[in-house]
């Protein structure tokens, strides 16, 4: 069983338990559900955009604790002030140390920037949940979803006025997963089966395979301004970066320095 298999098995039990406690009908009346959404597409297409989707992540299955000494409020506020185009907030508890509270705090602190709920979405319940938590963008990971599931979940995302980020790792996942409900295509440079691979080869290989009608972003294994410039040259508009920032004492300062070197 791969790490991803373990995560998804655990996630199924988690979603089942949550549904038993709070209904979808209740979610539609909670929190930020009625809030209008902030567009990731609009942010990334802005000529002045840094393109950086800055992530708040305490730990990962492969690295363990990355940073336990910062608060989500301070980090995300700093990210926005430094020029992030979007925030990504981990909400998986068991494997990434995230929580619903993290995204609620990020939204309260930063009302106008797009926020991606970074989690393993397997059920439409989680999309309603994300909307109530204040998220604007839903991540659908091709490695753990069938094309039928992506179509169904993407349709729910659209019906709620949110945007969908489809994550792929290779051409097979891309070809079978693209559909009309996708807004942004992200290439994860890290193989989720083993959380290995420390380069952007996957993004470079898929650059000309992603239809031009989709905005494309590169995810993970990005730390150098030269790498971002290389990816920009082949059409990438966004760059999801977490560990590079989070492993430093002041993540927002690391982001600010990186942006200064790519603009």
């Amino acid at each position: 069983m791969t790490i991803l298999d373990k995560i998804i098995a655990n996630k199924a039990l988690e979603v089942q338990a949550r549904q038993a406690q709070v209904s979808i009908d209740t979610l539609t009346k909670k929190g930020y559900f009625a809030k209008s959404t902030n567009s990731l597409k609009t942010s990334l297409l802005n000529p002045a955009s840094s393109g950086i989707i800055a992530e708040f992540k305490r730990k990962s299955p492969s690295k363990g604790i990355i940073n336990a000494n910062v608060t989500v409020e301070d980090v995300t506020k700093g990210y926005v002030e430094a020029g992030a185009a979007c925030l990504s907030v981990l909400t998986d508890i068991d494997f990434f140390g995230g929580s619903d509270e993290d995204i609620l705090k990020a939204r309260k602190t930063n009302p106008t920037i797009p926020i991606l709920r970074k989690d393993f979405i397997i059920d439409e319940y989680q999309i309603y949940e994300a909307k109530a938590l204040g998220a604007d963008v839903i991540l659908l990971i091709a490695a753990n979803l069938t094309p039928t599931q992506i179509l169904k979940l993407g349709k729910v995302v659209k019906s709620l006025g949110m945007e969908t980020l489809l994550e792929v790792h290779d051409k097979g996942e891309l070809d079978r997963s693209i559909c009309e409900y996708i807004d942004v295509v992200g290439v994860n440079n890290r193989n989720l089966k083993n959380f290995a691979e420390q380069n952007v080869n996957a993004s470079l290989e898929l650059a000309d395979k992603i239809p031009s009608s989709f905005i494309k972003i590169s995810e993970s294994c990005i730390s150098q301004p030269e790498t971002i410039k290389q990816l920009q040259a082949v059409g990438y508009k966004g760059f999801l970066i977490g560990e590079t920032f989070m492993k430093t004492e002041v993540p927002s300062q690391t982001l600010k320095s990186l942006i200064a070197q790519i603009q």
Side-chain angles (χ1 to χ4, degrees), residues 6 14 55 62 91 93 96 111 123 126 130 132-133 139 147 166 183 185 196 201 220-221 239 244 253:
K6 292 177 182 177
E14 179 190 313
E55 187 161 272
S62 59
T91 55
I93 301 168
F96 290 88
D123 191 283
Q126 294 165 284
L133 291 172
L139 178 70
L166 172 68
D183 296 288
V185 175
N201 288 349
S220 301
C221 307
F239 313 92
T244 295
Q253 286 298 319

Side-chain angles (χ1 to χ4, degrees), residues 209-257:
K209 308 292 192 304
I210 300 170
S212 58
S213 55
F214 297 100
I215 298 171
K216 55 191 175 189
I217 71 170
S218 181
E219 308 173 24
S220 301
C221 307
I222 302 170
S223 61
Q224 301 300 319
E226 293 76 19
T227 304
I228 292 177
K229 291 176 182 178
Q230 182 184 24
L231 292 166
Q232 287 174 327
V234 293
Y236 283 90
K237 296 290 187 184
F239 313 92
L240 195 154
I241 305 173
E243 186 179 321
T244 295
F245 304 142
M246 290 298 298
K247 68 183 181 182
T248 62
E249 189 174 346
V250 184
S252 60
Q253 286 298 319
T254 311
L255 168 60
K256 185 176 181 179
S257 175

Side-chain angles (χ1 to χ4, degrees), residues 53-79:
I53 301 169
E55 187 161 272
F56 182 84
K57 176 168 69 172
R58 289 190 180 85
K59 72 174 187 177
S60 77
S62 59
K63 299 293 176 63
I65 299 295
I66 299 170
N67 193 334
N69 302 316
V70 292
T71 69
V72 66
E73 295 96 331
D74 286 346
V75 172
T76 57
K77 183 174 185 289
Y79 279 160

Side-chain angles (χ1 to χ4, degrees), residues 7 38-39 48 64 91 103 110 114 148 151 154 156 198 200 214-215 225:
I7 291 172
N38 304 313
S39 172
T91 55
I103 201 165
N110 312 280
T148 300
L151 190 70
V156 174
Q198 301 298 322
V200 294
F214 297 100
I215 298 171

Side-chain angles (χ1 to χ4, degrees), residues 146-161:
T146 66
T148 300
Q149 287 175 308
I150 289 171
L151 190 70
K152 177 184 175 183
L153 294 171
K155 189 173 183 179
V156 174
V157 173
K158 281 295 184 186
S159 73
L160 296 180

Side-chain angles (χ1 to χ4, degrees), residues 179-195:
C179 70
E180 62 195 281
Y181 300 112
I182 303 303
D183 296 288
V184 180
V185 175
V187 180
N188 193 339
N189 299 303
R190 182 172 286 119
N191 188 331
L192 288 184
K193 296 292 177 19
N194 54 24
F195 282 79

